[in-house]
Amino acid sequence: MSKTITAVDLKSALHDGGEIALLDVREHGQFGEAHLFYATPLPYSRLELDIHRLVPRKAIRVVVYDSGDAESESVATRAALRLEALGYVNVMILEGGTRAWAQAGYKLFAGVNLPSKTFGELVEHAYHTPRISAQELARKQAAGEPLAVFDGRPTAEFRKMNIPGAVCCPNGELAYRIKDLVPDDTTPIVINCAGRTRSIIGAQTLINLGIPNPVYALENGTQGWYLADLPLQHGRSERYGDETGSTALLAQARALAERFDVPYVTAQTVRNWEGDATRTLFLCDVRTPEEFQAGSLPGAQHTPGGQLIQAIDQYVGVRGARLVIFDNDGVRAPVVASWLRQMGHDANVLIDGLSSGLALQAQVESDLPTLAPITVAQLKRRMEQDDVAVVDIRAGMQYRKAHIPGARWSIRPRLASDLRHENREIVLVADELAVAQLAATELDRAVLVLEGGMAAWQAAGHAVVSTPDRPSDEECIDYLFFVHDRHDGNKEAARQYLAWETGLVAQLDASERGNFSLPATYS
């Protein structure tokens, strides 16, 4: 039986200075409705796929939790057993889950990327980051005034919607590319994102570097633009050129690292840290996806600089871990590390970065069961004979859009319950084989997996059906309507999201706020 921990003891453990991994093992939608401030989202449906990357040291304190109510699928208990089977030796379950946490008088938070989002609001308060409204920016553009507008999000997000005239330049790239993109020191620069955080962080990054240009954050990003009834563009791909990149701001980046006490460490120091059984180590490559794919340091994970600040809980699952940040230019890593230090993380810059010769041991992935495949033709024939049950375990919203006629939807936490009365042979449909392999471990019988998934079914020309209301919103525990509806033309959802974002700071208690290390005033 796994150990348990009370809400009161967990609250103390989160602030005792030791390393701890707090894992919310519910699905994405459940997590986003109400979770603990420092929780890392690790859905049970992907537990074994992501645990080694997020929590590489198996001796660390690990606390898992679920909702703790009568409707819960008890995924915390099941997750704890899985983790112990993988060799994690200090796993605890939060007694009563989120229900007990709230009953103890502690705050539950909605949304995602809470520490990073809250940090963005604190940055604006601490630095008084200049901002420009959507209406004012549109007026300046219409008047033909000199302006450079950069979208601080990754390319995929930029394509979904963007401000007219904007160029994609993710925040982690700004210090490295801004001098090539805006050679004139008098041109005003505006940074935007979909909401607030990356607009603020991007603009303040350039200000902290001391560039002479006037710099502004677009107030409320693309959502503010949309709420002002201004048109957004979709499908564009304009971004910084691959040839851009300059060490012109190298001295400023180093000065920024010194200002925020960012240590520079040698490869040998990091090798010594790797042998320290009492601390967790993350090696973070903050360059672009293309650069990472072309080659990185052994043992590194790709953590694009802007996204590492924006969503650190997607890359680092250990509170109090050592982070080693590197690039190949000496500009990007110290800038990113300066923000991580202010967020309260033990961030360090690797001297000589990509050329340092550092090589760490890669994380070992979990062994997954082998599933027998079934071809599209075989499945079609057996469905006509009605001797198989087709279960689609892709995302609930993907199932709504298109699925195999007669297929039911399920998800790993509920799979055994959903199929308890099913006597036919099971065929799983998944986009990712590993997700199907994990789901199959919930069943006490052999299952098949559709070879090539839905793509193969559709490529064969077979019919699909859509069910816009099935699974129901309540059943779609993997989808967070709170976040996504704001991008689907729902102005009220956008207003609610912005109100949530600006209201985060007021929800913090003293210990949560005290974890951040922002300057009291900006000078």
Side-chain angles (χ1 to χ4, degrees):
M1 179 67 72
S2 300
K3 296 180 289 185
T4 61
I5 186 171
T6 66
V8 172
D9 288 342
L10 175 58
K11 180 66 172 176
S12 176
L14 288 169
H15 299 283
D16 65 8
E19 290 189 357
I20 186 169
L22 176 62
L23 307 178
D24 189 319
V25 292
R26 300 170 300 163
E27 299 305 307
H28 185 66
Q30 297 169 309
F31 170 84
E33 291 295 332
H35 62 271
L36 280 62
F37 186 76
Y38 292 113
T40 296
L42 180 54
Y44 183 60
S45 57
R46 296 189 57 86
L47 182 75
E48 295 92 329
L49 301 184
D50 296 330
I51 183 62
H52 297 293
R53 175 179 61 83
L54 290 168
V55 187
R57 188 166 68 88
K58 293 185 175 180
I60 192 175
R61 294 177 295 176
V62 178
V63 178
V64 298
Y65 72 85
D66 55 25
S67 301
D69 54 34
E71 299 299 319
S72 172
E73 296 87 7
S74 300
V75 292
T77 300
R78 292 150 70 186
L81 292 172
R82 296 283 183 182
L83 293 176
E84 288 168 350
L86 291 174
Y88 290 85
V89 297
N90 194 7
V91 181
M92 294 169 278
I93 300 170
L94 173 59
E95 289 181 12
T98 57
R99 174 183 52 80
W101 184 263
Q103 289 175 347
Y106 304 131
K107 184 71 178 177
L108 292 171
F109 293 79
V112 296
N113 309 136
L114 256 296
S116 296
K117 292 283 189 181
T118 306
F119 178 67
E121 297 302 312
L122 289 170
V123 166
E124 186 181 54
H125 294 172
Y127 289 99
H128 309 294
T129 307
R131 57 188 177 186
I132 185 171
S133 70
Q135 295 89 338
E136 180 64 9
L137 176 57
R139 186 195 65 76
K140 288 178 177 292
Q141 287 180 322
E145 296 184 24
L147 279 172
V149 182
F150 296 106
D151 193 313
R153 301 171 298 159
T155 304
E157 292 186 57
F158 177 79
R159 286 197 191 103
K160 290 180 182 178
M161 71 284 187
N162 66 272
I163 305 297
V167 172
C168 179
C169 185
N171 280 351
E173 299 299 308
L174 284 170
Y176 186 48
R177 304 183 188 275
I178 196 68
K179 282 298 184 183
D180 282 351
L181 293 170
V182 189
D184 186 341
D185 289 348
T186 66
T187 302
I189 297 172
V190 177
I191 308 297
N192 81 271
C193 63
R196 295 177 51 80
T197 309
R198 285 170 287 189
S199 301
I200 295 166
I201 297 297
Q204 196 60 52
T205 292
L206 297 179
I207 294 169
N208 284 2
L209 285 164
I211 70 167
N213 306 67
V215 179
Y216 306 92
L218 176 60
E219 188 174 10
N220 298 331
T222 58
Q223 290 178 91
W225 189 269
Y226 174 64
L227 288 172
D229 294 320
L230 295 166
L232 289 167
Q233 295 179 330
H234 305 276
R236 288 180 56 225
S237 57
E238 288 84 352
R239 66 164 202 167
Y240 61 86
D242 291 334
E243 71 282 357
T244 62
S246 167
T247 57
L249 295 179
L250 179 61
Q252 291 91 328
R254 288 176 173 168
L256 197 57
E258 182 177 358
R259 175 182 171 189
F260 292 106
D261 299 320
V262 177
Y264 281 75
V265 294
T266 65
Q268 185 56 54
T269 295
V270 181
R271 291 188 193 100
N272 294 340
W273 284 350
E274 184 183 28
D276 183 353
T278 67
R279 294 291 304 277
T280 304
L281 178 65
F282 291 89
L283 181 59
C284 302
D285 186 336
V286 297
R287 301 174 302 147
T288 66
E290 295 82 5
E291 289 174 294
F292 181 78
Q293 287 298 324
S296 188
L297 296 178
Q301 67 164 314
H302 184 222
T303 57
Q307 290 305 100
L308 187 58
I309 301 165
Q310 162 76 7
I312 193 168
D313 53 346
Q314 294 179 13
Y315 304 98
V316 176
V318 178
R319 180 163 161 74
R322 283 188 177 120
L323 312 182
V324 176
I325 316 299
F326 75 92
D327 56 29
N328 66 325
D329 48 82
V331 176
R332 288 174 283 188
V335 172
V336 172
S338 76
W339 284 123
L340 295 175
R341 279 270 162 179
Q342 293 174 79
M343 292 175 72
H345 296 288
D346 182 2
N348 308 266
V349 172
L350 176 63
I351 296 172
D352 295 328
L354 188 64
S355 60
S356 66
L358 178 65
L360 301 184
Q361 184 174 351
Q363 296 303 319
V364 178
E365 297 182 357
S366 301
D367 291 330
L368 299 175
T370 300
L371 299 185
I374 182 171
T375 66
V376 169
Q378 290 170 332
L379 176 59
K380 187 76 165 59
R381 185 166 56 251
R382 293 195 59 182
M383 289 182 70
E384 291 169 352
Q385 298 169 355
D386 195 30
D387 68 346
V388 292
V390 182
V391 183
D392 194 324
I393 57 171
R394 297 174 303 141
M397 287 298 163
Q398 288 181 296
Y399 176 93
R400 280 186 178 186
K401 290 178 181 177
H403 59 267
I404 297 172
R408 73 181 76 179
W409 182 78
S410 190
I411 192 168
R412 183 186 183 187
R414 296 178 174 174
L415 192 63
S417 176
D418 289 348
L419 299 178
R420 63 189 181 279
H421 300 306
E422 181 58 69
N423 296 318
R424 293 171 296 176
E425 191 166 25
I426 305 299
V427 177
L428 298 179
V429 179
D431 286 332
E432 193 175 349
L433 175 60
V435 172
Q437 291 171 310
L438 289 182
T441 64
E442 302 299 308
L443 304 174
D444 57 1
R445 50 178 159 160
V447 301
L448 304 174
V449 62
L450 177 60
E451 195 172 55
M454 272 296 290
W457 179 270
Q458 291 177 293
H462 297 314
V464 298
V465 295
S466 63
T467 52
D469 299 319
R470 195 177 80 245
S472 67
D473 289 359
E474 292 74 20
E475 292 173 310
C476 281
I477 58 176
D478 62 334
Y479 187 81
L480 183 55
F481 294 87
F482 169 73
V483 169
H484 295 289
D485 278 3
R486 64 195 171 110
H487 297 316
D488 295 331
N490 187 331
K491 286 190 174 182
E492 184 55 34
R495 292 188 187 96
Q496 291 175 359
Y497 183 88
L498 293 170
W500 162 78
E501 207 164 11
T502 55
L504 285 172
V505 172
Q507 298 180 64
L508 298 180
D509 63 27
S511 56
E512 290 161 346
R513 184 158 185 162
N515 182 65
F516 298 104
S517 301
L518 283 156
T521 59
Y522 174 61
S523 59

